[in-house]
Amino acid sequence: RAVLAHLHSTGASQREIARQLGRSSSTISRELRRGRPTERCGYLAERAQDLAASRRASANGLRARMRCKELLRHVRAGLKLRWSPELIVGRLQLLGSKIRVCAMTLYRFLKRDREEGGKLHKGLPRRGKGRRPNGSKGRRRPKPGRRPIEDRPAGASNRTRHGHWEGDTVEGAGKSAYIVTLVDRKSRFTLLGKAKNKSQDVVCEVVKRLLKRLSKVLRRTLTLDNGTEFNSHRAIEVGTGVDVFFADPYCSWQRGTNEQTNGVMRHFLPKGTNFKTVSSKRLARIEDLLNNRPRKCLGYRTPAEVI
């Protein structure tokens, strides 16, 4: 504002001032108009700063924006599905809504809602967790007879083709049962199946059943971790025609898509859930929610739309 006042007093045009300050000429025009105590006075930097501080202190833009009924309806619907504010905002823009709000505005609104005793904030997904540096336990090779991830085709590594999957198992409370999760690396499309235990034969049958739901063009490769439940990987290859590869031990980021999806699934099946009580109908509903959840990495489209 001091530079603006100096340039304006020397007779510089608004376009020249805007160029030197790196601002739009309309921004300069508004600032000159608002920074004058009276119409006769020139632009005074200190006075303009005081006026700006006063406007900021009295502004209530957050509440005014969040009073929009359409936006609140969309926010409530998204939180009910455990969408993050970033997903809610991105999906709004993808659908062509004229409402414009940033994710941080939603976070501030939800924080204020919590402070005022509201319940909207309870729909927020889990908080981010701290990360260990990659390779903190050292790099090790997979067991003999297992194809390493380095041998996986380029179409899987660079996510240019559908049909390259990542797989894992999620444990229920007290090892009550397990959920097998398969995620397509390109579309993030997810398949879920329940296994009564973690034996290699049971898990193998669940994986084969899930993969056989797909057409052959969507069955190319499968990347797994090094758990003993996947010792029957040869039977998976023979039964489905999928080439199985294994990530390096203690390198979960090599299957980051699967790990992230497991975290999202935990919104609906939190730790402490007895998986024996999870019916096939409920599991299918969770699978449907995951596949119709917009993803930032997909331009806020859903995995179902992409695949």
Side-chain angles (χ1 to χ4, degrees):
R1 289 190 168 93
V3 175
L4 171 57
H6 170 71
L7 293 175
H8 183 59
S9 67
T10 63
S13 68
Q14 292 182 12
R15 290 186 179 277
E16 176 60 22
I17 296 173
R19 187 187 65 79
Q20 292 196 40
L21 293 181
R23 297 290 189 273
S24 165
S25 59
S26 60
T27 300
I28 301 301
S29 176
R30 285 194 301 271
E31 178 62 24
L32 288 172
R33 186 172 62 253
R34 293 187 300 188
R36 292 171 176 155
T38 66
E39 287 295 326
R40 290 188 172 185
C41 292
Y43 179 82
L44 303 175
E46 292 184 2
R47 173 63 176 170
Q49 181 66 27
D50 292 340
L51 290 172
S54 177
R55 288 194 300 270
R56 182 178 292 274
S58 62
N60 199 16
L62 174 61
R63 289 180 179 271
R65 181 71 58 86
M66 295 308 299
R67 279 198 294 265
C68 174
K69 292 183 179 180
E70 182 184 349
L71 175 59
L72 278 175
R73 186 166 58 249
H74 192 82
V75 169
R76 290 193 180 100
L79 291 174
K80 190 175 181 180
L81 295 172
R82 310 290 289 184
W83 291 5
S84 69
E86 193 170 34
L87 291 183
I88 293 171
V89 171
R91 191 66 178 176
L92 263 176
Q93 295 176 356
L94 182 67
L95 295 176
S97 173
K98 295 181 179 179
I99 301 173
R100 286 295 178 263
V101 64
C102 72
M104 287 309 301
T105 299
L106 286 191
Y107 274 115
R108 289 197 300 272
F109 172 74
L110 294 171
K111 179 182 178 181
R112 188 173 295 178
D113 172 76
R114 181 182 61 204
E115 293 171 348
E116 295 176 353
K119 297 182 179 180
L120 279 177
H121 68 278
K122 293 183 178 180
L124 282 171
R126 62 191 172 96
R127 303 295 182 185
K129 296 182 179 179
R131 298 179 180 177
R132 280 190 308 210
N134 291 351
S136 58
K137 288 190 177 181
R139 295 287 294 274
R140 301 181 188 177
R141 300 293 297 171
K143 296 177 182 178
R146 297 184 170 189
R147 283 187 284 186
I149 194 171
E150 287 84 357
D151 295 345
R152 194 172 59 178
S157 300
N158 59 24
R159 303 179 190 265
T160 57
R161 302 184 74 183
H162 293 292
H164 297 287
W165 299 79
E166 296 177 6
D168 196 10
T169 54
V170 180
E171 184 178 296
K175 301 182 179 180
S176 53
Y178 296 82
I179 303 258
V180 176
T181 62
L182 303 181
V183 187
D184 180 53
R185 283 177 55 79
K186 180 175 173 64
S187 67
R188 275 67 173 183
F189 195 83
T190 303
L191 302 174
L192 302 178
K194 189 165 77 170
K196 62 181 180 180
N197 58 50
K198 208 176 181 181
S199 70
Q200 62 185 50
D201 293 334
V202 170
V203 172
C204 172
E205 289 304 314
V206 174
V207 172
K208 288 196 293 184
R209 186 177 73 247
L210 291 177
L211 290 175
K212 285 180 179 179
R213 290 169 51 187
L214 306 166
S215 63
K216 289 185 178 180
V217 73
L218 291 176
R219 295 187 308 208
R220 303 183 190 277
T221 69
L222 174 61
T223 303
L224 304 169
D225 67 12
N226 285 272
T228 57
E229 69 269 28
F230 297 122
N231 282 347
S232 295
H233 58 94
R234 293 298 184 194
I236 295 174
E237 292 182 330
V238 173
T240 64
V242 170
D243 294 327
V244 178
F245 299 86
F246 288 87
D248 296 325
Y250 307 117
C251 297
S252 58
W253 66 87
Q254 294 179 344
R255 299 170 26 265
T257 300
N258 200 181
E259 295 290 343
Q260 194 271 345
T261 302
N262 290 346
V264 177
M265 188 192 72
R266 281 296 191 183
H267 299 170
F268 311 104
L269 297 173
K271 289 186 177 181
T273 302
N274 185 334
F275 285 175
K276 280 186 179 180
T277 65
V278 179
S279 66
S280 57
K281 184 177 180 179
R282 183 181 176 190
L283 198 61
R285 171 60 178 160
I286 294 171
E287 182 181 288
D288 185 63
L289 288 170
L290 293 174
N291 290 328
N292 288 282
R293 176 188 177 93
R295 305 294 179 95
K296 181 181 179 181
C297 59
L298 301 177
Y300 297 104
R301 293 179 296 165
T302 69
E305 290 169 344
V306 170
I307 204 167

